[in-house]
Amino acid sequence: MDLTNRIALAAIEAGKEILHVYENEFSVAYKSDQSPLTLADQKAHDVISYYLKQTPYPILSEEGRDVPFEKRANWPCYWLVDPLDGTKEFVKRNGEFTVNIALIKEGIPVLGVVYAPVKQWLYIGESGEGAWKLELKEHQFPDNWKEAGERLPSKAEEDRKYTVVGSRTHASEETKEFIAKLQEAHGDIAFVSMGSSLKLCLVAEGVADIYPRMAPTMEWDTAAGDAIVSSAGYRVVQYENDAPLQYNKENLLNPWFVVKR
């Protein structure tokens, strides 16, 4: 099984485990940073770890993040995983949460999948190959997925307003100021609210033109989406200097960034 098929299946199986929890009553705990944690996070982590431990590469996951920098600094290639991105969306039951798996090579996301289990949307990005979106049925991953999926970007952009995608839960004042400047430049603009890493995927898909993020995120929040965006021919850059996001930093907190076409 090649790596792309492996992580696609891992994300889908993790998504099915998440839905088992989502569709029933569940309790919510809180981490030291007050971010929510559910049984679904841990179940998804366990499934993904099972698939990825059969590859040569180590794993850095949000739910298993206690890997000392001194150890991971020497990893030339590793998996970066968020088993359940958008736990707040999960708790709200709005369906806008994802499973994120990325392969990082020398600090660059070169392969990524994002799966939204409620919507059954699967996004795949392979560096040098391209990006795709699949709308699955019954969580089944087709063998001929490149033919079955839409090559990204897939949405026509001529007949719509300049479109900004943003967070449902993290609209900072700085983000609002950034959007105001976009309105000055583009006139009447459209705004799409979306949770989790789906925001990056909407830019890759061509549904949105830009996603500004002037609020905290971690490396595992962005890596898979970053791989998909770049494989679609677009960019995820730091707000301050237009440089690419860096991965496997000592501090895993991302700087502010912009995803743009």
Side-chain angles (χ1 to χ4, degrees), residues 109-165:
V110 296
L111 174 63
V113 299
V114 169
Y115 187 50
V118 171
K119 299 176 182 295
Q120 297 192 62
W121 295 350
L122 178 68
Y123 294 88
I124 300 174
E126 295 183 16
S127 180
E129 296 294 324
W132 293 263
K133 178 187 180 182
L134 291 87
E135 297 194 24
L136 304 187
K137 305 292 184 186
E138 304 297 324
H139 306 284
Q140 294 299 307
F141 182 57
D143 292 333
N144 64 332
W145 62 267
K146 286 186 178 180
E147 291 75 30
E150 285 185 298
R151 191 75 178 249
L152 303 184
S154 60
K155 304 297 183 188
E157 57 182 288
E158 294 81 8
D159 299 326
R160 63 164 170 78
K161 298 175 183 177
Y162 187 87
T163 302
V164 183
V165 62

Side-chain angles (χ1 to χ4, degrees), residues 25-261:
E25 291 300 316
F26 57 84
S27 60
V28 182
Y30 289 88
K31 303 176 191 176
S32 58
D33 63 359
Q34 294 306 302
S35 58
L37 176 69
T38 71
L39 178 62
D41 297 77
Q42 190 59 53
K43 283 184 170 291
H45 170 80
D46 292 345
V47 169
I48 294 166
S49 296
Y50 168 78
Y51 277 85
L52 298 189
K53 283 177 179 175
Q54 300 174 53
T55 74
Y57 308 122
I59 305 166
L60 181 62
S61 169
E62 180 177 10
E63 304 313 326
R65 53 178 150 178
D66 297 327
V67 180
F69 179 67
E70 294 72 22
K71 180 178 180 180
R72 58 182 173 80
N74 299 314
W75 291 352
C77 201
Y78 69 98
W79 297 110
L80 184 54
V81 177
D82 191 344
L84 177 49
D85 180 32
T87 305
K88 290 180 180 177
E89 317 305 332
F90 177 89
V91 171
K92 293 175 186 173
R93 296 185 187 271
N94 67 15
E96 295 177 5
F97 52 85
T98 59
V99 180
N100 302 345
I101 306 174
L103 183 65
I104 310 295
K105 189 172 184 179
E106 303 295 348
I108 299 169
V110 296
L111 174 63
V113 299
V114 169
Y115 187 50
V118 171
K119 299 176 182 295
Q120 297 192 62
W121 295 350
L122 178 68
Y123 294 88
I124 300 174
E126 295 183 16
S127 180
E129 296 294 324
W132 293 263
K133 178 187 180 182
L134 291 87
E135 297 194 24
L136 304 187
K137 305 292 184 186
E138 304 297 324
H139 306 284
Q140 294 299 307
F141 182 57
D143 292 333
N144 64 332
W145 62 267
K146 286 186 178 180
E147 291 75 30
E150 285 185 298
R151 191 75 178 249
L152 303 184
S154 60
K155 304 297 183 188
E157 57 182 288
E158 294 81 8
D159 299 326
R160 63 164 170 78
K161 298 175 183 177
Y162 187 87
T163 302
V164 183
V165 62
S167 172
R168 289 200 185 282
T169 53
H170 298 283
S172 67
E173 286 303 315
E174 292 86 356
T175 305
K176 292 174 184 175
E177 290 171 10
F178 185 90
I179 292 171
K181 290 178 182 177
L182 290 175
Q183 287 175 314
E184 290 176 10
H186 297 278
D188 188 19
I189 65 174
F191 186 84
V192 178
S193 292
M194 187 64 72
S196 72
S197 58
L198 288 171
K199 294 184 288 295
L200 290 95
C201 295
L202 291 188
V203 177
E205 193 175 349
V207 172
D209 297 287
I210 194 166
Y211 163 38
R213 179 66 179 214
M214 287 76 184
T217 58
M218 303 299 288
E219 290 185 11
W220 46 71
D221 294 320
T222 57
D226 195 339
I228 293 160
V229 168
S230 60
S231 297
Y234 302 135
R235 304 172 68 215
V236 181
V237 296
Q238 298 179 44
Y239 172 76
E240 292 292 342
N241 57 19
D242 221 36
L245 288 182
Q246 299 297 306
Y247 291 88
N248 208 16
K249 305 185 303 297
E250 183 169 4
N251 182 347
L252 295 167
L253 185 70
N254 284 324
W256 290 356
F257 63 87
V258 181
V259 184
K260 54 187 178 181
R261 308 187 65 199

